[in-house]
């Protein structure tokens, strides 16, 4: 270890009658607990990032500097500054990864690495790898390097922006038509209002389903997505599928009504069905429920049959 890479200790205003200092090179990290498993729970739960599937992001942790063991004697309040050089030789190979360096100490009670009571800051440019740790412990210290995938959330942000734009114009259109009685007397306008309402509900349901974390598919010991393990997922998917089928039904109804208004008006001699809107309400709001319900029942029957076949003893 050359002079530039040697740790530099500064006591600041702290007074002590003496101190014992031991410096271990990065190559001696096998003498200490492995931070990939021996890490404080607060440091694990503090990383709330998830991957594209909503699962907790996998983080690879390793000691990235010399390990400095400190013990101060006859001191009322421990607070010191320690500048250490980290190993940046492999940073370029990890250019597609997220690299995070944190000052940590070895908790002698739990035998785990923790960042509690330590403040991390870079000295100079972060690419130089020189880190300053301000801590208040008497123990061993090291820089912990956490390597994780870079989560691309651009698609998620674009979806949220488009959702907000769609909802804004849908709500404005709905309230520009629904409150006025003269518009509600027109058959096509009434149908279009129902179409707008179904679009609002479908978009809201889809966004809620994508944000709920417990709508992930879980499988049982036989590898089947059982109903008991995925109740919330089943309910959410069925509701969203139903709402988008309602949207399709209202779009079809509006298109058929517009066709009749333009093409078939001459054939009917101006006569109209008094219960046309009521029939559309029944067809568009109730009939689509049959499709996801039948698909769910069929899928559940097939899963139960396969589970029973798997449970049958082999003769």
């Amino acid at each position: 270890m050359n002079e530039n890479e040697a740790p530099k200790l500064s006591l600041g205003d702290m007074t002590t009658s003496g101190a014992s200092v031991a410096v271990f090179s990065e190559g001696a990290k096998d003498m200490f607990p492995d931070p990939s498993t021996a890490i404080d729970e607060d440091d694990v739960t503090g990383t709330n990032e998830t991957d594209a599937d909503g699962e907790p992001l996998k983080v690879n942790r390793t000691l990235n500097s010399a390990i400095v063991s400190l013990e101060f004697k006859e001191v009322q309040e421990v607070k010191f500054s320690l500048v250490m050089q980290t190993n940046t030789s492999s940073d370029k190979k990890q250019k597609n990864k997220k690299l995070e360096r944190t000052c940590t100490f070895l908790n002698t009670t739990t035998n785990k690495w923790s960042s509690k009571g330590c403040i991390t800051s870079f000295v100079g440019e972060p690419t130089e790898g020189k880190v300053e740790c301000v801590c208040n412990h008497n123990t061993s210290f090291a820089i912990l390097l956490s390597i994780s995938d870079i989560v691309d959330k651009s698609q998620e942000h674009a979806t949220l922006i488009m959702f907000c734009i769609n909802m804004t114009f849908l709500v404005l259109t709905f309230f520009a038509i629904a409150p006025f009685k003269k518009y509600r007397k027109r058959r096509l306008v009434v149908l279009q209002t129902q179409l707008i309402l179904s679009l609002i509900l479908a978009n809201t349901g889809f966004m809620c389903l994508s944000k709920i974390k417990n709508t992930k598919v879980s499988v049982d010991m036989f590898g089947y997505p059982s109903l008991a393990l995925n109740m919330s997922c089943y309910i959410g998917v069925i509701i969203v599928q139903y709402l988008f089928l309602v949207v399709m039904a209202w779009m079809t109804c509006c298109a058929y009504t517009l066709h009749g208004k333009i093409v078939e008006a001459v054939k009917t001699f101006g006569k109209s069905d008094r219960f046309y809107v009521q029939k559309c309400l029944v067809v568009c709001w109730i009939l689509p429920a049959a499709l996801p319900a039948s698909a769910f029942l069929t899928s559940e029957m097939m899963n139960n049959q396969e589970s029973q076949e798997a449970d049958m003893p082999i003769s």
Side-chain angles (χ1 to χ4, degrees):
M1 183 182 297
N2 58 46
E3 186 178 351
N4 293 330
E5 295 178 351
K8 295 178 175 58
L9 177 64
S10 175
L11 301 182
D13 297 332
M14 187 180 71
T15 56
T16 177
S17 61
S20 66
V21 181
V23 180
F24 302 88
S25 66
E26 186 183 356
K29 60 185 179 182
D30 293 338
M31 298 169 55
F32 297 85
D34 184 1
S36 61
T37 55
I39 187 71
D40 190 83
E41 292 297 327
D42 290 341
D43 289 280
V44 175
T45 56
T47 56
N48 296 321
E49 288 192 74
T50 56
D51 58 19
D53 297 325
E55 299 296 330
L57 204 61
K58 293 182 179 179
V59 182
N60 181 27
R61 298 178 177 87
T62 182
L63 298 179
N64 192 235
S65 69
I67 299 95
V68 181
S69 296
L70 299 173
E71 184 176 354
F72 300 101
K73 300 177 181 178
E74 298 180 6
V75 59
Q76 293 182 348
E77 182 181 0
V78 177
K79 188 173 182 180
F80 61 90
S81 170
L82 183 64
V83 178
M84 291 190 285
Q85 179 66 44
T86 61
N87 185 358
T88 59
S89 58
S90 62
D91 284 10
K92 291 183 179 180
K93 298 178 182 179
Q94 307 284 352
K95 61 180 180 180
N96 294 326
K97 301 285 186 178
K98 178 183 177 182
L99 305 180
E100 183 178 5
R101 289 180 166 86
T102 310
C103 296
T104 56
F105 75 97
L106 181 61
N107 189 328
T108 54
T109 303
T110 61
N111 205 33
K112 293 181 178 181
W113 294 95
S114 173
S115 61
K116 291 179 182 178
C118 288
I119 301 174
T120 306
S121 59
F122 286 95
V123 178
E125 294 295 327
T127 53
E128 297 176 2
K130 191 166 289 188
V131 178
E132 179 183 17
C133 301
V134 178
C135 301
N136 55 9
H137 302 286
N138 269 332
T139 181
S140 300
F141 299 87
I143 306 299
L144 190 68
L145 175 62
S146 301
I147 306 173
S148 59
D149 292 328
I150 297 175
V151 181
D152 184 10
K153 294 190 176 182
S154 58
Q155 186 176 358
E156 181 180 344
H157 295 157
T159 301
L160 182 60
I161 292 172
M162 293 305 299
F163 168 76
C164 294
I165 293 173
N166 289 338
M167 290 298 293
T168 299
F169 284 101
L170 285 171
V171 171
L172 288 175
T173 305
F174 180 81
F175 284 105
I177 299 174
F180 301 101
K181 189 175 182 179
K182 64 177 182 178
Y183 292 136
R184 294 200 302 268
K185 292 181 179 180
R186 300 177 184 176
R187 176 188 295 178
L188 185 58
V189 174
V190 172
L191 301 182
Q192 289 172 338
T193 304
Q194 293 294 320
L195 172 60
I196 294 169
L197 179 61
S198 63
L199 280 168
I200 292 174
L201 294 175
N203 278 279
T204 303
F206 177 77
M207 184 56 64
C208 291
L209 184 65
S210 65
K211 294 297 181 183
I212 297 175
K213 293 184 179 180
N214 59 350
T215 53
K216 303 299 177 184
V217 178
S218 302
V219 296
D220 57 16
M221 59 184 299
F222 301 105
Y224 297 109
S226 64
L227 178 62
L229 296 175
N230 301 281
M231 182 62 71
S232 59
C233 183
Y234 274 115
I235 293 174
V237 170
I238 288 174
I239 291 174
V240 171
Q241 286 183 341
Y242 161 73
L243 290 173
F244 276 104
L245 286 172
V246 169
V247 171
M248 296 298 296
W250 279 115
M251 290 175 64
T252 304
C253 190
C254 288
Y256 178 78
T257 305
L258 185 61
H259 174 268
K261 192 177 182 65
I262 297 174
V263 179
E264 303 293 335
V266 179
K267 296 181 181 180
T268 58
F269 301 100
K271 296 180 181 180
S272 60
D273 186 354
R274 289 192 309 164
F275 303 102
Y276 184 82
V277 174
Q278 288 81 351
K279 291 178 181 177
C280 288
L281 288 170
V282 172
V283 171
C284 295
W285 283 110
I286 297 178
L287 188 60
L291 294 176
S294 60
F296 165 73
L297 292 175
T298 303
S299 175
E300 193 63 21
M301 289 173 60
M302 293 177 63
N303 287 337
N304 289 337
Q305 184 178 359
E306 291 177 357
S307 298
Q308 290 175 0
E309 291 176 356
D311 292 337
M312 292 179 61
I314 299 174
S315 57

